[in-house]
Amino acid sequence: MASATVLSPPMPVYLEAPMRLTSTLFALFVVALLAATGGPAMAQGGNPAVTDEGNNIYLVDGTKEPIPNLLPAEEVVKIARLQGETGNASQFLLSRISPDGKTVFVLGNGPGAFITLEDGTSVPWTVPGDLGGSLTNRFWLDDNTLAVYALSTRTAQPTLFTWDRRTGEGRALGSLPATNQIPVFASGDGHKVLLASVPPLNPANPGAALVASLVDRGGERTGLTPQAPAGTRARALLDFAELFDPVGAGIAVVRIGSVLSVLDTVTGERREVAQLGPGTSVGEVSFSQDGSQFAVVLTVVGVDTPRGFDGALMSDLVYRDVTGNLPPAESPWLQGNQLVLLDFASGAVRTMRAADGDGAVFVGVSWSTDNRTLMTHMEMPAQLRGRRYPLYVPQYLSSAHLRFWDAASLKEIRRLERSEIDATFGLMQAQFVSPDEVIIESQKRLDRRPYYYNLRSGEFRDLADRAGKYVSIRASNQSRELVFVYTSYTDPPELYRMRWDGTGLARLTWDNEALRQYSRTKQQPVSFTLRDGTSHSGVLITPADAPFPPRNLPIIVWQEGGPATSLSNEWLSLVESPFGLLPNFGFGVLVVPLYGRSGPSPSASRPCTKAATTARSTSTPRPRSWPRCARRAGQARSASWAARTAATSSTRASRATPPPTTPPTPCARWSTSSPSGAAASPP
């Protein structure tokens, strides 16, 4: 949820006059808002563009009259520069690292480009004229050739497009035979492709939707290629293929059913994997490194209709689940959740059902590079005080952990449960990078950090050396290096690399360096105590020259809506997320993962077993009936939307103070320096 609404001109903007904000702060927000909409700032009194609607509400309509600025011209320019460059301050890794460990494909400030990992040099790619929307992930055919299956605007057929990393030139290599199956996911070398059947074209309704409840989540397949117009067959196929996008998978469901099969592109052999009935949600899909093994997480939830009679934006099943009135035996999110495995050579298909386990559901899956071990990402339901049954709606699952299975017998051999990696709802991802080593990316309080885990030795290590957000992590088996995007409240995103042991950090791109230098801010970890005695930790963002502890500095306590999204330490200078905006105008911004935001309470640091397993809770109170330290972190976290929202609105924060030198509670752990403290300067 945003703190302000941005509308595109020339639409009028409604603003409610603030009661207690200073005039300078109000003017800053209004100018930022109207700068974002492309118009000038709001004027006071007598301007035809401003209409008093009563009750402190004004209609600002820049189509009637130009609106004079409230701030000096140099401050308007400063806002425009901070916000204008924000639109280009982005980096996304859109491929794995090339087989020789030398190149990765990146979308940054401009067209996509091939980045050389040794020195950061880039080669821009060219978009073939007939390239439509992408149907699959991108994969490497060899050291120099990147490929993707996409719709051809010329033939309207799934087509293999390739690019040469040395020149950036792309071309259509050839179309697949016209069938009722389309490619939706490919193995790392492209030798195996997951196909999904779709109904034949209906001339009377060519754009008939193939999925229900699709949410535009900006996955790995968007942003580079043209998107087909709504209501067309091409758009329906692209929306269907997006079900298998690894980013945010599982948000939509199949409307008409589908048959999944794996195709060997070299031999032409095909193996059927599963039949998806209407209402099936697709989770993570994974090929083993050699393509011989395949896995997919499926959940059959049904196409449930909204309740309607009270205007709630949830279905009857969702309503019963989140109120604790849906028995697990009737929960589609538990009963319909399964992991389907395929051995391509034999064609054998095996299934693991969550309902046959201990209550955890399958979310993700990864194969070890020798195919001997299977790793599953599991999430636990929330169990709320006063509720009869646990909550299984994915948005409110309580905690995550990793389980390791012998691939031949499917017997569990190890379980990794730690508070550092128990983030849910897409905030934790893990991948095997060798027969025994795993790289994990997970949200921890305000930071998203990389972790290393060795299955054989049990070693677990935080690889981050500074506060911030590490995303799009890619691993190279050749160089034993990680490539990732790093950003923080004070650092626009850039591309970095480092070794698997956390050493050798090197910056690869400088696309947003001018913006970083222009923005003069800093961040400091803080802790504070509410009037009810509850302690919280957070980050205080201030002007670069402000002293710490702050003196005579106006501080804005920043909170956003929820309850399922995360509040992350990342570069943003928008009206809705002004972390890089307000501190540049003399304001401090105190950011805390309050009730309803992802982030564990201090009690999450208490070890629960000799294996350093830790339990986690959010800032919501722990029910008296729960154990003080649970083995499964899912038993120690509340996920009630109503409770979180109510708590958020009633929270009152005192003035920020430096972190205490001793923990305020037996479970608390505090730090005032990197990596969990202030972000270090980029190398």
Side-chain angles (χ1 to χ4, degrees), residues 209-482:
L210 306 179
V211 297
S213 305
L214 182 66
V215 177
D216 184 6
R217 54 186 179 264
E220 292 189 352
R221 306 176 187 183
T222 61
L224 281 174
T225 56
Q227 294 303 301
T232 63
R233 173 69 169 181
R235 180 60 175 270
L237 293 176
L238 293 173
D239 286 347
F240 178 80
E242 194 177 359
L243 286 170
F244 302 85
D245 194 315
V247 177
I251 294 178
V253 297
V254 176
R255 182 184 292 273
I256 39 69
S258 179
V259 176
L260 300 184
S261 60
V262 173
L263 171 69
D264 187 318
T265 59
V266 177
T267 66
E269 291 182 275
R270 187 175 310 209
R271 299 282 190 268
E272 184 174 317
V273 181
Q275 295 187 15
L276 312 185
T280 301
S281 172
V282 181
E284 189 168 1
V285 293
S286 175
F287 279 102
S288 61
Q289 182 167 287
D290 63 3
S292 65
Q293 306 295 317
F294 173 77
V296 58
V297 175
L298 301 174
T299 302
V300 182
V301 299
V303 184
D304 201 13
T305 56
R307 299 174 67 210
F309 62 86
D310 61 357
L313 297 178
M314 61 179 67
S315 68
D316 184 67
L317 279 175
V318 173
Y319 185 82
R320 291 176 62 197
D321 183 272
V322 300
T323 56
N325 289 302
L326 187 64
E330 300 178 18
S331 171
W333 296 279
L334 174 63
Q335 299 298 325
N337 179 260
Q338 57 185 326
L339 176 65
V340 181
L341 308 171
L342 169 70
D343 176 77
F344 191 87
S346 66
V349 176
R350 296 178 293 172
T351 301
M352 301 174 68
R353 297 179 65 249
D356 297 332
D358 58 2
V361 294
F362 295 100
V363 175
V365 59
S366 178
W367 297 90
S368 63
T369 57
D370 61 0
N371 298 342
R372 299 179 63 182
T373 308
L374 183 69
M375 176 178 64
T376 59
H377 169 183
M378 314 295 294
E379 295 191 1
M380 298 295 296
Q383 182 68 64
L384 304 186
R385 180 170 51 185
R387 303 292 172 88
R388 183 177 182 183
Y389 299 116
L391 279 60
Y392 275 99
V393 169
Q395 187 175 0
Y396 304 120
L397 291 172
S398 68
S399 65
H401 63 272
L402 299 175
R403 298 184 187 182
F404 299 87
W405 312 78
D406 176 78
S409 64
L410 294 185
K411 291 183 178 180
E412 184 178 345
I413 58 177
R414 185 72 61 86
R415 187 175 299 193
L416 181 64
E417 297 170 298
R418 298 185 64 103
S419 64
E420 296 95 330
I421 64 167
D422 74 344
T424 62
F425 206 54
L427 297 179
M428 191 272 278
Q429 299 171 346
Q431 57 179 313
F432 262 115
V433 293
S434 78
D436 303 302
E437 296 166 294
V438 177
I439 297 297
I440 307 168
E441 172 187 328
S442 183
Q443 186 85 9
K444 175 67 172 177
R445 294 189 174 91
L446 292 173
D447 299 325
R448 191 170 177 119
R449 310 173 73 82
Y451 300 93
Y452 169 91
Y453 175 65
N454 190 299
L455 180 62
R456 182 179 296 273
S457 67
E459 178 186 6
F460 182 88
R461 187 191 315 131
D462 184 351
L463 301 180
D465 70 344
R466 64 200 66 195
K469 187 174 184 179
Y470 297 69
V471 292
S472 294
I473 298 175
R474 303 290 189 267
S476 170
N477 300 93
Q478 287 286 108
S479 62
R480 293 183 63 86
E481 285 187 320
L482 302 177

Side-chain angles (χ1 to χ4, degrees), residues 423-610:
T424 62
F425 206 54
L427 297 179
M428 191 272 278
Q429 299 171 346
Q431 57 179 313
F432 262 115
V433 293
S434 78
D436 303 302
E437 296 166 294
V438 177
I439 297 297
I440 307 168
E441 172 187 328
S442 183
Q443 186 85 9
K444 175 67 172 177
R445 294 189 174 91
L446 292 173
D447 299 325
R448 191 170 177 119
R449 310 173 73 82
Y451 300 93
Y452 169 91
Y453 175 65
N454 190 299
L455 180 62
R456 182 179 296 273
S457 67
E459 178 186 6
F460 182 88
R461 187 191 315 131
D462 184 351
L463 301 180
D465 70 344
R466 64 200 66 195
K469 187 174 184 179
Y470 297 69
V471 292
S472 294
I473 298 175
R474 303 290 189 267
S476 170
N477 300 93
Q478 287 286 108
S479 62
R480 293 183 63 86
E481 285 187 320
L482 302 177
V483 180
F484 55 89
V485 174
Y486 169 77
T487 179
S488 75
Y489 288 135
T490 54
D491 298 287
E494 297 288 1
L495 195 64
Y496 290 79
R497 62 178 170 87
M498 66 178 174
R499 287 188 282 273
W500 290 2
D501 61 1
T503 64
L505 180 67
R507 184 171 170 179
L508 295 174
T509 63
W510 301 80
D511 294 349
N512 300 307
E513 178 62 17
L515 179 58
R516 188 187 72 84
Q517 294 188 19
Y518 184 76
S519 176
R520 302 289 299 165
T521 62
K522 64 181 180 181
Q523 60 173 294
Q524 176 71 35
V526 296
S527 70
F528 61 95
T529 303
L530 304 184
R531 294 178 183 177
D532 63 2
T534 305
S535 296
H536 286 268
S537 61
V539 171
L540 178 65
I541 314 168
T542 65
D545 56 357
F548 187 86
R551 295 178 178 85
N552 300 319
L553 178 71
I555 295 177
I556 300 166
V557 179
W558 191 261
Q559 65 183 52
E560 299 180 17
T565 55
S566 63
L567 191 57
S568 299
N569 190 339
E570 62 181 316
W571 171 265
L572 287 169
S573 60
L574 308 171
V575 174
E576 299 89 341
S577 304
F579 313 122
L581 182 64
L582 293 178
N584 276 294
F585 287 85
F587 296 94
V589 178
L590 176 62
V591 188
V592 186
L594 296 175
Y595 303 93
R597 307 300 300 189
S598 290
S601 71
S603 61
S605 297
R606 175 183 294 277
C608 291
T609 67
K610 293 181 180 180

Side-chain angles (χ1 to χ4, degrees), residues 114 123-126 164-170:
F114 294 96
V123 177
W125 84 328
T126 58
D164 189 319
R165 71 175 182 182
R166 296 163 295 188
T167 63
E169 294 182 358

